[in-house]
Every structure is written in C-alpha cells, then in structure tokens.
Amino acid sequence: GFGPLDMTVCILGSPTSFLPVLLEGGTRCPGAMVLCLSPAWASRVPSETSPGAWSLLLSRGVSFEAGGHSALETFVPPRRANYVTGTFTAGSPEGGWVGELARDLDCPTGGSVPLARRLEDPLVTRWVLAARAGLPVPPTLAFVLGPGGNLPADPVAPGVRVVRLEDPQGQESLVQEE
C-alpha cells in the first residue's frame, strides 16, 4: 500500500550484495528502492523530529521498478530516506562516505562501520559464537597486541584462548609457552 513518495529505502554504495533486495523491492513496491552510488547524490540535514539526529535527503538515485527495470532519477524536491543500509565494510572504497552519510540518522539503518568491523573480525566472531551462543568453534589460540579493540577485557569462551601482549618484543618466551 506504500508508494514511492511514502517510503524510500536507500542502499548506499555498491549494489553488488544488495541487487536481489533492490530487484525484489522494486517488484513489491515500485520506486521505493533507491540506490545511491555517490555521496554527491545525498545530503544530511538536521532532523525535524529527533534533536541531535540527521535526516538523509536524496537528490539523485537509481530507482527500481517491477521486472528489474531501473532508472537514474533526479528528485526535486529531494526524497527523505526512511530506511538506510549499504556497504559499511571498512575495506571497501566507498566505506568512508557510506558510514559518514549513515551516521546518527533519524531513520532505521541496516548497519554501521563499527558493526561491520566487529562482524569482520574472526576472533570476535568466534568469541561471540562460543561464549554468547554456546556454539562449538575450532580450537583457537590468539595473540592480541594491546587492549584488543572489540573484545571484552577478559574474554572467556570454550575453545578460544586469548593471550594479550603488551609489546611483541621480549615476549618470545610467553608465545613459546602458550
């Protein structure tokens, strides 16, 4: 029952992993799925409904229709995004602008750069699966320099052993012992 003026689902960055979502969304709600391929196509404005948050307005985008048809459109006035997701991976070329545009929005988002970093870290993933979900993981011995970023201070999980190293120099005996 929604039309393109009522709802705008915005995908920021590369469409590669979102193409099935864009195509299905275009079939179910023609015109509501909008792909934003450039930071120049979007702007952040202070939210009118949530103090301290931002609204994402799209001036251009690729919209999707039934049957896989798509079109590059210019939106006058700009369209407000009601849901935002995209390529938040830290290593992708567009990761920086995607994360910046999606930060502190007044609409739901499907991820963030910090979340992508956590999900891409195999040690954190193993720790979460073993400690939080109780799932078996391969026996893991990990050496971590410094605080270890996304890990808790004392991570305890079946099958996962984390050894913190303050400085890799002079700790060869500790590494050998472990």
Side-chain angles (χ1 to χ4, degrees):
F2 290 100
L5 298 178
D6 300 318
M7 180 174 60
T8 300
V9 175
C10 176
I11 308 290
L12 297 170
S14 172
T16 306
S17 58
F18 295 98
L19 195 54
V21 173
L22 290 163
L23 294 172
E24 182 64 21
T27 298
R28 299 212 179 236
C29 192
M33 302 297 296
V34 177
L35 174 62
C36 178
L37 295 169
S38 169
W41 295 4
S43 60
R44 291 165 45 95
V45 297
S47 173
E48 295 177 3
T49 58
S50 301
W54 300 86
S55 293
L56 186 65
L57 301 180
L58 302 170
S59 58
R60 293 190 88 183
V62 178
S63 65
F64 286 78
E65 304 286 332
H69 298 281
S70 61
L72 177 60
E73 293 189 51
T74 300
F75 305 117
V76 179
R79 281 177 64 172
R80 182 182 177 280
N82 303 103
Y83 180 84
V84 175
T85 193
T87 51
F88 295 108
T89 55
S92 72
E94 64 271 334
W97 69 264
V98 169
E100 184 57 32
L101 282 178
R103 187 177 45 84
D104 300 327
L105 294 179
D106 61 357
C107 67
T109 58
S112 67
V113 172
L115 178 61
R117 282 191 188 120
R118 285 186 185 99
L119 294 175
E120 291 171 356
D121 185 328
L123 179 57
V124 171
T125 302
R126 284 188 184 187
W127 177 77
V128 168
L129 290 174
R132 303 289 184 181
L135 296 173
V137 298
T140 304
L141 173 60
F143 295 95
V144 178
L145 286 174
N150 296 314
L151 287 170
D154 190 21
V156 177
V160 178
R161 172 128 171 83
V162 177
V163 178
R164 295 193 189 276
L165 302 174
E166 297 303 319
D167 181 4
Q169 301 300 323
Q171 296 196 347
E172 292 85 6
S173 62
L174 174 63
V175 171
Q176 187 66 29
E177 179 184 315
E178 290 296 335

